[in-house]
Amino acid sequence: LAKTTQPISMDSYEGQEVNITCSHNNIATNDYITWYQQFPSQGPRFIIQGYKTKVTNEVASLFIPADRKSSTLSLPRVSLSDTAVYYCLVDNYGQNFVFGPGTRLSVLP
Amino acid sequence: EPEVTQTPSHQVTQMGQEVILRCVPISNHLYFYWYRQILGQKVEFLVSFYNNEISEKSEIFDDQFSVERPDGSNFTLKIRSTKLEDSAMYFCASSEAGLGLDEKLFFGSGTQLSVL
């Protein structure tokens, strides 16, 4: 089961770009990389998913280098409402999603 | 946008009592999950369910827990004899297809279970 490592916490200010990097050295060929966001007292919410290179949607961008041993979630121009815990998950084919402790992002005014 | 709904949002029970947590997954989804999160801790996998049977379960999901899909829309988690340490937020999730490749989970808002 691919294990992920992310910073426990990060601080940012409103309007800044935030990059959260996740390490997954043991990622398998079939694994996708998925990021979730969780607000207090709510269930995790899907943000973005990718396999390689770069993926962008209306919420974020995901950068994955060629070796796929890490990935970086990029949140452009964060606001106070982006304060949440962000989880990086690597789907081990046929296994169930395992959540790590995530990265607690605090956006300050 | 379709969503996973869970009821009740809060459940208070006495230790030793049975509780049933209910979930309505997204209608065209075929895979269902229960996770829990103890206050301040990470989201923990409990069980996955497909085709009316358990696909996988964690060591947390012991004999006190059971899951059921009693009809075409509901998915339930039963705890037979609750313990204090079962107090947590319980999340139901569903996915359109099985895990692998590009699947993603959709979570409900959770049921906060408090065991007194």
Side-chain angles (χ1 to χ4, degrees):
Chain A
L1 188 66
K3 181 179 176 181
T4 60
T5 304
Q6 348 173 193
I8 294 296
S9 64
M10 294 181 69
D11 291 338
S12 181
Y13 291 95
E14 279 192 293
Q16 289 188 331
E17 178 185 76
V18 170
N19 296 308
I20 306 174
T21 297
C22 178
S23 297
H24 26 80
N25 291 318
N26 297 322
I27 191 168
T29 303
N30 290 334
D31 289 343
Y32 272 66
I33 300 155
T34 310
W35 285 79
Y36 288 81
Q37 173 192 56
Q38 186 182 26
F39 298 114
S41 300
Q42 293 187 28
R45 183 176 74 101
F46 171 85
I47 301 176
I48 198 166
Q49 185 180 69
Y51 184 79
K52 62 180 178 181
T53 63
K54 177 184 174 182
V55 179
T56 297
N57 62 21
E58 64 278 6
V59 176
S61 295
L62 179 60
F63 298 91
I64 305 169
D67 66 6
R68 304 199 328 120
K69 292 184 183 299
S70 67
S71 59
T72 299
L73 174 72
S74 181
L75 305 172
R77 297 181 298 282
V78 294
S79 64
L80 296 177
S81 62
D82 292 316
T83 293
V85 179
Y86 292 83
Y87 299 96
C88 161
L89 277 75
V90 173
D91 173 20
N92 188 1
Y93 184 82
Q95 302 294 321
N96 291 288
F97 284 122
V98 175
F99 284 78
T103 297
R104 187 172 299 275
L105 173 65
S106 297
V107 180
L108 308 172
Chain B
E1 180 177 298
E3 59 181 22
V4 176
T5 57
Q6 291 186 242
T7 55
S9 56
H10 292 86
Q11 175 88 50
V12 180
T13 189
Q14 296 289 327
M15 188 170 58
Q17 295 295 305
E18 174 184 285
V19 295
I20 298 176
L21 309 182
R22 303 179 193 279
C23 169
V24 179
I26 294 172
S27 61
N28 64 330
H29 286 188
L30 300 177
Y31 294 77
F32 316 114
Y33 311 84
W34 283 101
Y35 286 78
R36 78 173 187 187
Q37 187 173 32
I38 295 170
L39 184 64
Q41 299 186 25
K42 64 182 183 181
V43 178
E44 299 176 294
F45 167 74
L46 294 179
V47 66
S48 60
F49 190 87
Y50 168 71
N51 199 27
N52 283 318
E53 60 182 30
I54 291 174
S55 304
E56 190 168 343
K57 59 183 180 180
S58 70
E59 59 258 22
I60 301 170
F61 194 87
D62 61 22
D63 291 343
Q64 294 298 313
F65 292 87
S66 62
V67 289
E68 190 179 29
R69 187 156 166 80
D71 52 42
S73 60
N74 290 283
F75 179 52
T76 62
L77 174 69
K78 181 192 291 186
I79 309 175
R80 291 188 182 82
S81 178
T82 51
K83 304 187 285 285
L84 295 176
E85 54 264 37
D86 293 326
S87 295
M89 179 75 90
Y90 287 80
F91 294 110
C92 174
S94 67
S95 63
E96 188 171 357
L99 293 177
L101 299 182
D102 63 348
E103 196 43 59
K104 58 182 76 75
L105 298 178
F106 291 83
F107 285 82
S109 299
T111 294
Q112 179 64 56
L113 176 65
S114 298
V115 182
L116 306 178

